[in-house]
Amino acid sequence: MSNKIQSIRGMHDVLPESSPHWQYLEATVNKLLTGYGYSEIRMPVVEKTELFSRSIGEVTDIVEKEMYTFEDRNGDSLTLRPEGTAGCVRAAIENGLIHNQQQRLWYVGPMFRHERPQKGRYRQFHQIGVETFGIPGPDIDVELMAMTARLWDQLGLKDVRLEINSLGSLSARQAYREILVSYFKDNFDVLDEEARNRLETNPLRILDTKNPNMAELVQNAPSLLDHLDAECAQHFETVQARLEALGIAYVVNPRLVRGLDYYSRSVFEWITESLGAQGTICAGGRYDGLIEQLGGRAGHAAGFAMGMERLLALLEEEGNLPEQPRPHIYMVTFGDEAEQAGLVLSEKLRSQLPGLRLINNCGGGGFKAQMKRADKSQADFALIMGEDELTSQSVSLKPLREAGAEQLRLNHDELIERLKQQLQA
Ligand code: ATP
Ligand code: MG
């Protein structure tokens, strides 16, 4: 026998026992977003490499070292999407969804980054992303935060906090950049190698370091918030005032810079302490420059993305995952004729009782074997069709989960009545 082929490191199967959790999360989000007027968009998983290097930024973790990039058979450089924003903006420009109009969009799907796999960090992971186009003001920034706050509430998540910051305008950021570079140069000996490299190319990214030896240095760095122009400062104040009006607690974290280059003005993260180092479950902000950067006419944009694996881990941690719905009925039959009659009856039941969860025994087996499968299926009842039932045009309903409950012999109409009541209960 040849060796078993294994999955790729950091890429996981979602097994039947956990797929209901994924479905629950997706359904909850879908309903919530629909309620706020958002529509789903589906983009390809593969895009031209240039899309990401141009949008995310050449000097970011993602583009420098995390992308799955390959040449296709035509010699074009393609990349498995590491995030959804760039593709969504590309799709919106290409399909005329941006110019002269507002859009509220969302998507869900796998993203790919070649990172070191660990708890909450995978090479294929899943994001639910939201992007809005054509809305310049703090109103939409706050809508995004309020919407996520409501989602946590609906999911029953408690241990999450909102951190916000403003990255200001491009010109404010350029002025701040000089100040930051000179601060870091004064402390050159504390910088790690990566930070030293970033000093010339992308010094703001140093604030996002995960190196504990640099934590204090970053903590004491000059703050961009002291260098905002009046308009950006006003935008940021309105965001805070609205959050307060809504009773949404937040902390201003002047070192929140986000891992991608395209943000401006509002940025935010939802963070939990319950998941260890990988505590950011949702991150986003305003990225007004990106549309133009990708070849569209200058426009406004804001959005966020949540990591589904981290959200599900948190739901599990806090004991908030729903139970999988059990089947109502497992149909057991004996003999060829009864098997056929059972099949016909179960299709009749499915037609008359929407929402009924019924499993037919397939693959034969004696009474004991079939009842064992019925029990394992977690069904509430076994529905038994044997020779007696066949001749009397009836069926036996055997409760499987109630101690002492009696088996009933019912004709088909009685059965349907009974199941109707059961389904309504
Ligand atoms: P981090 O700082 O944790 O690396 P990031 O800034 O790279 O995160 P984003 O690009 O903003 O993350 O992605 C949004 C969200 O997607 C993150 O907040 C996180 O929940 C999730 N996420 C990002 N990378 C991964 C990954 N490799 N595995 C699982 N989830 C991830
Ligand atoms: Mg990252």
Side-chain angles (χ1 to χ4, degrees):
M1 221 170 72
S2 56
N3 288 336
K4 276 190 225 146
I5 298 176
Q6 304 221 310
S7 67
I8 294 164
R9 198 163 112 83
M11 304 200 182
H12 299 287
D13 304 301
V14 176
L15 297 177
E17 62 191 32
S18 29
S19 55
H21 304 153
W22 289 74
Q23 289 164 0
Y24 160 71
L25 181 57
E26 286 174 16
T28 307
V29 171
N30 188 336
K31 200 166 166 202
L32 175 96
L33 293 177
T34 304
Y36 277 84
Y38 288 70
S39 315
E40 189 185 3
I41 180 169
R42 303 186 184 198
M43 298 88 64
V45 170
V46 184
E47 300 270 3
K48 289 184 182 158
T49 302
E50 193 196 349
L51 174 68
F52 302 113
S53 46
R54 235 210 273 174
S55 58
I56 298 170
E58 295 280 2
V59 195
T60 53
D61 283 350
I62 294 180
V63 173
E64 277 181 336
K65 53 190 188 199
E66 295 175 359
M67 292 204 305
Y68 281 89
T69 296
F70 61 97
E71 259 188 28
D72 77 354
R73 287 171 195 275
N74 304 326
D76 296 327
S77 179
L78 305 184
T79 294
L80 298 185
R81 62 180 185 192
E83 52 101 52
T85 302
C88 188
V89 172
R90 194 246 341 114
I93 296 172
E94 196 170 328
N95 295 287
L97 304 183
I98 292 188
H99 188 52
N100 267 339
Q101 57 192 308
Q102 297 185 346
Q103 288 291 343
R104 287 177 164 91
L105 303 174
W106 73 278
Y107 50 82
V108 53
M111 308 292 160
F112 303 85
R113 297 184 193 177
H114 197 273
E115 305 198 62
R116 194 170 67 77
Q118 53 198 290
K119 186 175 175 251
R121 198 175 285 290
Y122 310 99
R123 290 182 173 175
Q124 173 174 328
F125 62 100
H126 298 76
Q127 283 184 343
I128 294 171
V130 166
E131 318 290 353
T132 70
F133 301 122
I135 311 171
D139 47 4
I140 194 72
D141 304 7
V142 174
E143 176 172 298
L144 296 173
M145 296 178 214
M147 207 159 67
T148 36
R150 181 169 300 278
L151 178 63
W152 313 145
D153 192 48
Q154 288 183 357
L155 293 171
L157 295 180
K158 297 209 174 53
D159 176 29
V160 280
R161 77 167 181 277
L162 175 62
E163 293 193 355
I164 64 173
N165 191 22
S166 175
L167 297 185
S169 62
L170 196 62
S171 59
R173 222 157 45 243
Q174 267 156 359
Y176 170 67
R177 186 190 156 117
E178 309 290 311
I179 297 165
L180 195 62
V181 167
S182 82
Y183 169 78
F184 283 135
K185 276 191 174 152
D186 291 344
N187 295 280
F188 195 77
D189 50 320
V190 191
L191 299 180
D192 61 15
E193 204 192 315
E194 189 180 64
R196 288 176 184 184
N197 291 334
R198 293 253 150 100
L199 204 50
E200 302 301 332
T201 53
N202 196 348
L204 256 74
R205 304 275 313 113
I206 300 174
L207 296 174
D208 196 38
T209 180
K210 290 172 175 98
N211 182 349
N213 300 328
M214 287 172 51
E216 202 186 313
L217 180 70
V218 163
Q219 190 71 32
N220 297 325
S223 165
L224 176 52
L225 289 177
D226 298 331
H227 302 272
L228 293 184
D229 57 65
E231 237 180 291
C232 291
Q234 180 59 50
H235 188 111
F236 194 42
E237 263 168 42
T238 306
V239 167
Q240 295 179 65
R242 299 270 167 99
L243 287 174
E244 273 151 37
L246 291 172
I248 297 173
Y250 65 90
V251 256
V252 174
N253 174 1
R255 279 157 304 280
L256 189 67
V257 291
R258 310 285 309 108
L260 303 89
D261 262 2
Y262 48 57
Y263 288 101
S264 60
R265 295 194 169 172
S266 309
V267 290
F268 66 95
E269 288 193 6
W270 286 95
I271 300 165
T272 174
E273 298 303 328
S274 307
L275 294 178
Q278 270 59 250
T280 302
I281 53 168
C282 175
R286 175 164 287 283
Y287 53 95
D288 287 337
L290 185 61
I291 302 172
E292 198 173 11
Q293 216 171 304
L294 289 178
R297 248 183 269 190
H300 298 279
F304 64 79
M306 344 185 221
M308 291 186 75
E309 283 81 357
R310 291 185 195 176
L311 265 175
L312 287 165
L314 187 57
L315 281 168
E316 173 150 37
E317 178 79 27
E318 295 191 359
N320 280 320
L321 285 172
E323 270 183 48
Q324 189 163 358
R326 300 190 320 227
H328 300 108
I329 292 179
Y330 189 98
M331 167 85 84
V332 167
T333 66
F334 304 103
D336 198 44
E337 247 183 281
E339 190 179 300
Q340 178 162 308
L343 174 65
V344 171
L345 176 61
S346 43
E347 286 306 321
K348 183 174 162 188
L349 294 176
R350 289 189 175 101
S351 298
Q352 299 207 5
L353 300 165
L356 179 70
R357 294 186 294 273
L358 184 161
I359 301 174
N360 286 97
N361 183 74
C362 284
F367 183 73
K368 259 200 164 153
Q370 291 195 40
M371 286 307 289
K372 231 181 173 168
R373 287 188 201 133
D375 197 47
K376 201 173 164 214
S377 79
Q378 299 288 321
D380 294 327
F381 298 95
L383 197 58
I384 304 166
M385 177 76 83
E387 244 169 63
D388 281 0
E389 286 88 352
L390 195 58
T391 30
S392 62
Q393 298 219 340
S394 64
V395 73
S396 296
L397 187 68
K398 182 179 167 63
L400 297 175
R401 314 283 147 206
E402 276 170 78
E406 274 186 42
Q407 178 170 325
L408 295 172
R409 178 73 76 89
L410 304 165
N411 69 34
H412 295 181
D413 288 342
E414 288 168 341
L415 172 70
I416 288 170
E417 248 345 280
R418 212 172 168 96
L419 290 178
K420 233 180 226 162
Q421 286 166 14
Q422 189 79 23
L423 286 176
Q424 273 158 11

